[in-house]
Amino acid sequence: MNVIVIGGVAAGTKTAAKLKRQDRSAKVTVYTKGKDISYAGCGLPYYVGGSIENREELIVNTPEKYAGLTGVEVRTQMEAVGLNAQAKTVSFENGETVSYDKLVIATGAVPFVPDVAGKDLPGVFTMRTPDDAIDLRAYAESNHCRSAVVVGGGFIGLEIAENLLAKGLKVTVVDMANQVMPNLFDVEMAAYIRRQLQSRGIRIITGAGLEEILGNEKAAGIRTSAGNFDGDLVVLAIGVRPATGFLSDSGLLMNRGAIVVDQQQKTNLNDVYAVGDCAQVYNRITGKGQWSAMGSTANITGRCLARNLTGDTAVYKGCLGTGVVKLAGDLNAGRTGLTGEQAKEAGYDVITVTCVTDDKAHYYPDASAFVTKLIAERNTHKLLGIQVVGAGAVDKMVDIAVTGIAMGAAVEDFDTMDFSYAPPFSTAIHPFVQACYILENKLSGAFETFTPDEYASGKAKGYRVIDVHPSAAIPGAEWVNLSKVTAPLEGIDLEEKLLLVCARGKRGYFLQNRLKALGYTNTRVLEGGASINNVKAAFAGGVLPAAEIKRVKGLGCLQDKRYADVFNVRVITRNGKITAGEHRVIAEASERFGSGAVTMTTRLTLEIQGVKYENIQPLIDFLGEHGLSTGGTGSLVRPVVSCKGTTCQYGLADTYGLSEKLHERFYVGYHGVTLPHKFKIAVGGCPNNCVKPDLNDLGIVGQRVPMADFSKCRGCKKCQVEENCPVKVAKVADGKLHIDANACNNCGRCKGKCPFGVLEEYKEGFKIYIGGRWGKKVAHGTPLTKIFDSEEEVLEVVERAILLFRDEGISGERFADTVSRLGFDYVNEKLLSDTIDKAAVLQKTVKGGATC
């Protein structure tokens, strides 16, 4: 038997290897378009991020190694261009035509690249082959890229985004759908994923169709139907299409480019089979055709086909669309089966539940939670699908569901299964089973709820919000102490509509159980509680309590004292520099949610004026969707201020670059670290002090220290250095130039002024001032006794200053007071040479004293 396999990645190599093991006499030849075979396509994003260090780790087998292991002949760089099924031949681009007894088409898929201007610019990438990942990583490193736009919010797009973020790039993900991971996750789960990604630093834009890739000599961002988005590189992760163009006139039956096969991978042509991303398979639940461009499907169907070709019967029973993805930081997501919408479209009477459970024993270190959505058929209770998001092993939740769905299990069938348990791995009742219990309670009517989607669509309108947290946590809601509920709630009628909300939904269910026993007839629990819902409640009489005003102040919203419910909201601009697109977003936000006016603060943040209380959260959400945030209040590191730096004629340092690093490391990175008081940082590009670095808690000033060669001095009567010294510390005396190093402010204005080369060499660096302050009390900072050579040195000293303030500062005192109390010499020594135990300092409990 002469078998030709076209395609040498997952499906092709799996089919060929298994076939050869089944029948050693078979002649099996793999023809592949590329130079590599059997590479780890799913690992490409992790090469970009550096988790996989070198190219060789991506290559599962070389052609030579594979041929030696399997006995399969491999022909690389052979692109198939035609099929003559009647003659049983395949023709290739190099002119060769080969015959077959059996033909396996495993050509996979190719990235979809829309026909837009700029798609061929340097800096535009797809992600399909090892070379794609290698080129992307090399480009990002060699071009010192600091930002990226990823077009496509599916699995690959979000994996690429996570890995680019891990490399220190600012990442924007843009998708034309109205959610991330469309057709994979239901809208409320996608919304939760989106919020989590944004909180970890990835900017998400949905509802934006790609129209153009911007840039002249290289990519500089994209233009979309929703505006322009800047990026030093662009990754197109819009999706893939079956690589079947060369088969268009072959007679093969295809559906949207995917080859239609039966459950044994046969096509409509005799002795022609197809597997992998180029073939359409079946959905195991609905029985309908489905395209499953997954490495798992490719390998499974490839193995089945090899058995079928050698006399066995191996029926492929269909896919479930199973997928799992590692997202930013500690966030993972997985899914299988039908989404709620897909199940409805398939004709099922659908019931769902969304719940939050521990992923392992709550007391075990690194314990977290699963957010789980189960989809089932209402009448039969048959499990149809699952979606899970969390920090833990979401794959184990998904795999249990895969097994159950494949076996046709109802949710009750899992109740007493003996799943593994130990505190590091799971809970005593497995989290999957807990989700089943919750759905069973809903099916029985014991648990009456609003789903997150129902709540977001307004179905809870008219319900009174009851806060069931251990302590009051929902502004405007009435808090109920669960442990004390033994009689009807005072002032609440038995027929009143009550929405019971806690952190996850569990305490809400407990309260509902008690209230039903007490005669309440109209209670609903909000599924997933405040963990995954944006819960709102109206304040009694419309009056905002002091605690709520304090809470929103912490979000960067300062009350307009003329009104009870109007605030001015600070938008962080990182260093006073924002893009034209960000300007437009802020202007639109001001018009939509505020008075239409925007003011500039002395700290170079923007304030949107006149925001009504009920518009604060929608405003914050809108800004977050466009990569902007609010804040700048409290006993924290404040937004960094910088001058124009090297864009100014006096600039000695890249202040914008340094201030952005300071912003990311300390404003963002330390945003959960309370200090004794506010801590302000300013970066000046030269000693002109335009942003007054020495009047901040910590100020950084660019320096150009003259390294004079006085042997070249000729004692000119009219010395050009002396003439041009702005602070008059350069003097010619006794026929020689003298510079008072203690009085020189290292502005660098003397550079190149001496025609005889006395001042040709300079040390570039930074001076750091500590203990400055302005406001009610003014204090000028004192410079540390060292000129710092690099930005990394500066960042290290800034962190040491923050840690020292947290460790040795007193609640309510500014850093200037701390420096004065401890003594400058002591602080100088601590910052320059002494050891500071960062972990111990960050574990301390510190009470902040800032009032604004």
Side-chain angles (χ1 to χ4, degrees), residues 723-738:
E723 287 285 317
N724 285 277
C725 178
V727 291
K728 305 303 180 187
V729 298
K731 303 281 186 183
V732 174
D734 301 325
K736 284 290 183 182
L737 176 66
H738 297 271

Side-chain angles (χ1 to χ4, degrees), residues 602-603 638 677-678 680 692 694-697 771-780 814 816-817 852:
T602 56
R603 294 293 297 174
R638 294 298 180 86
H677 211 294
K678 66 186 79 172
K680 297 180 177 180
K692 302 181 175 54
D694 70 329
L695 291 177
N696 283 260
D697 296 281
R773 175 176 62 196
W774 61 0
K776 298 184 187 73
K777 299 178 182 179
V778 176
H780 285 271
R814 292 293 298 274
D817 302 320
C852 62

Side-chain angles (χ1 to χ4, degrees), residues 531-797:
S531 295
I532 59 175
N533 295 280
N534 181 16
V535 183
K536 298 179 181 178
F539 288 97
V543 178
L544 297 179
E548 179 60 7
I549 293 173
K550 181 179 179 181
R551 184 187 74 84
V552 298
K553 182 194 292 185
L555 300 175
C557 311
L558 302 179
Q559 188 178 20
D560 185 329
K561 296 298 185 183
R562 297 172 296 174
Y563 310 101
D565 62 345
V566 177
F567 294 79
N568 299 327
V569 182
R570 292 181 176 177
V571 184
I572 303 305
T573 62
R574 295 180 297 279
N575 51 16
K577 177 183 178 183
I578 58 176
T579 66
E582 289 170 333
H583 267 294
R584 287 190 286 269
V585 168
I586 293 168
E588 182 181 350
S590 178
E591 290 178 342
R592 288 176 59 176
F593 305 105
S595 67
V598 180
T599 60
M600 178 73 77
T601 74
T602 56
R603 294 293 297 174
L604 301 185
T605 59
L606 295 174
E607 274 191 1
I608 295 176
Q609 303 288 293
V611 181
K612 297 276 285 185
Y613 171 77
E614 60 266 24
N615 286 335
I616 288 176
Q617 194 58 51
L619 167 63
I620 291 173
D621 292 341
F622 176 78
L623 293 171
E625 290 171 5
H626 293 83
L628 295 166
S629 62
T630 64
T633 58
S635 298
L636 304 166
V637 176
R638 294 298 180 86
V640 181
V641 176
S642 78
C643 72
K644 295 185 295 182
T646 48
T647 66
C648 166
Q649 62 175 321
Y650 301 109
L652 307 177
D654 179 7
T655 57
Y656 283 144
L658 176 56
S659 61
E660 287 199 357
K661 291 178 182 177
L662 290 163
H663 175 86
E664 292 299 323
R665 190 174 298 189
F666 302 117
Y667 177 74
V668 177
Y670 270 59
H671 209 59
V673 178
T674 300
L675 302 176
H677 211 294
K678 66 186 79 172
F679 191 91
K680 297 180 177 180
I681 303 171
V683 185
C686 76
N688 282 353
N689 293 324
C690 293
V691 293
K692 302 181 175 54
D694 70 329
L695 291 177
N696 283 260
D697 296 281
L698 187 142
I700 302 160
V701 179
Q703 298 280 278
R704 182 171 284 158
V705 184
M707 311 296 286
D709 182 354
F710 293 113
S711 67
K712 295 180 179 180
C713 178
R714 299 191 181 182
C716 302
K717 290 184 178 180
K718 189 174 182 179
C719 174
Q720 294 302 312
V721 175
E722 182 177 347
E723 287 285 317
N724 285 277
C725 178
V727 291
K728 305 303 180 187
V729 298
K731 303 281 186 183
V732 174
D734 301 325
K736 284 290 183 182
L737 176 66
H738 297 271
I739 298 175
D740 184 348
N742 294 320
C744 178
N745 67 0
N746 304 321
C747 68
R749 300 295 288 171
C750 54
K751 186 175 183 180
K753 295 297 187 292
C754 176
F756 304 108
V758 171
L759 290 165
E760 294 296 317
E761 300 295 328
Y762 289 80
K763 175 182 178 181
E764 307 283 344
F766 303 89
K767 184 182 286 187
I768 296 181
Y769 289 82
I770 61 169
R773 175 176 62 196
W774 61 0
K776 298 184 187 73
K777 299 178 182 179
V778 176
H780 285 271
T782 305
L784 297 177
T785 56
K786 178 181 177 180
I787 299 295
F788 297 90
D789 294 325
S790 68
E791 289 185 349
E792 279 307 314
E793 276 190 298
V794 171
L795 293 167
E796 182 182 345
V797 171

Side-chain angles (χ1 to χ4, degrees), residues 6-9 11-12 31 80 104-110 128 241-247 259 275-279:
I6 308 175
V9 190
Y31 293 86
V104 177
I105 303 172
T107 47
V110 292
R128 189 66 182 172
R241 302 289 185 270
T244 55
F246 74 102
L247 299 167
I259 302 168
V275 285
D277 293 358
C278 65

Side-chain angles (χ1 to χ4, degrees), residues 184-265:
L184 297 169
F185 287 80
D186 283 312
V187 63
E188 70 272 29
M189 295 295 284
Y192 176 75
I193 291 169
R194 176 182 186 149
R195 290 194 299 272
Q196 293 298 310
L197 291 175
Q198 289 185 161
S199 70
R200 288 161 170 79
I202 295 177
R203 180 184 183 188
I204 307 289
I205 305 294
T206 52
L210 176 65
E211 296 179 347
E212 180 186 358
I213 296 171
L214 303 173
N216 294 319
E217 296 181 358
K218 59 183 179 180
I222 64 172
R223 179 171 63 83
T224 76
S225 57
N228 295 353
F229 302 98
D230 297 333
D232 297 331
L233 62 86
V234 175
V235 181
L236 300 178
I238 301 171
V240 292
R241 302 289 185 270
T244 55
F246 74 102
L247 299 167
S248 58
D249 59 353
S250 66
L252 279 170
L253 179 62
M254 291 191 274
N255 180 19
R256 300 176 70 179
I259 302 168
V260 177
V261 298
D262 66 12
Q263 290 182 308
Q264 292 181 301
Q265 297 78 50

Side-chain angles (χ1 to χ4, degrees), residues 451-575:
T451 67
D453 189 40
E454 289 172 335
Y455 180 71
S457 66
K459 287 194 175 182
K461 186 177 181 180
Y463 278 74
R464 183 173 178 175
V465 179
I466 303 297
D467 184 353
V468 202
H469 285 82
S471 58
I474 302 173
E478 180 169 343
W479 177 67
V480 170
N481 187 340
L482 175 63
S483 64
K484 299 292 179 64
V485 178
T486 57
L489 302 176
E490 186 177 348
I492 301 179
D493 295 336
L494 297 180
E495 294 78 24
E496 188 169 352
K497 293 180 177 180
L498 304 178
L499 180 65
L500 314 180
V501 185
C502 60
R504 297 181 172 186
K506 185 175 182 180
R507 291 174 63 88
Y509 168 59
F510 290 168
L511 179 59
Q512 184 179 63
N513 181 266
R514 293 192 185 195
L515 293 180
K516 284 184 175 182
L518 293 168
Y520 285 86
T521 59
N522 215 341
T523 63
R524 294 289 187 98
V525 177
L526 182 57
E527 293 181 15
S531 295
I532 59 175
N533 295 280
N534 181 16
V535 183
K536 298 179 181 178
F539 288 97
V543 178
L544 297 179
E548 179 60 7
I549 293 173
K550 181 179 179 181
R551 184 187 74 84
V552 298
K553 182 194 292 185
L555 300 175
C557 311
L558 302 179
Q559 188 178 20
D560 185 329
K561 296 298 185 183
R562 297 172 296 174
Y563 310 101
D565 62 345
V566 177
F567 294 79
N568 299 327
V569 182
R570 292 181 176 177
V571 184
I572 303 305
T573 62
R574 295 180 297 279
N575 51 16

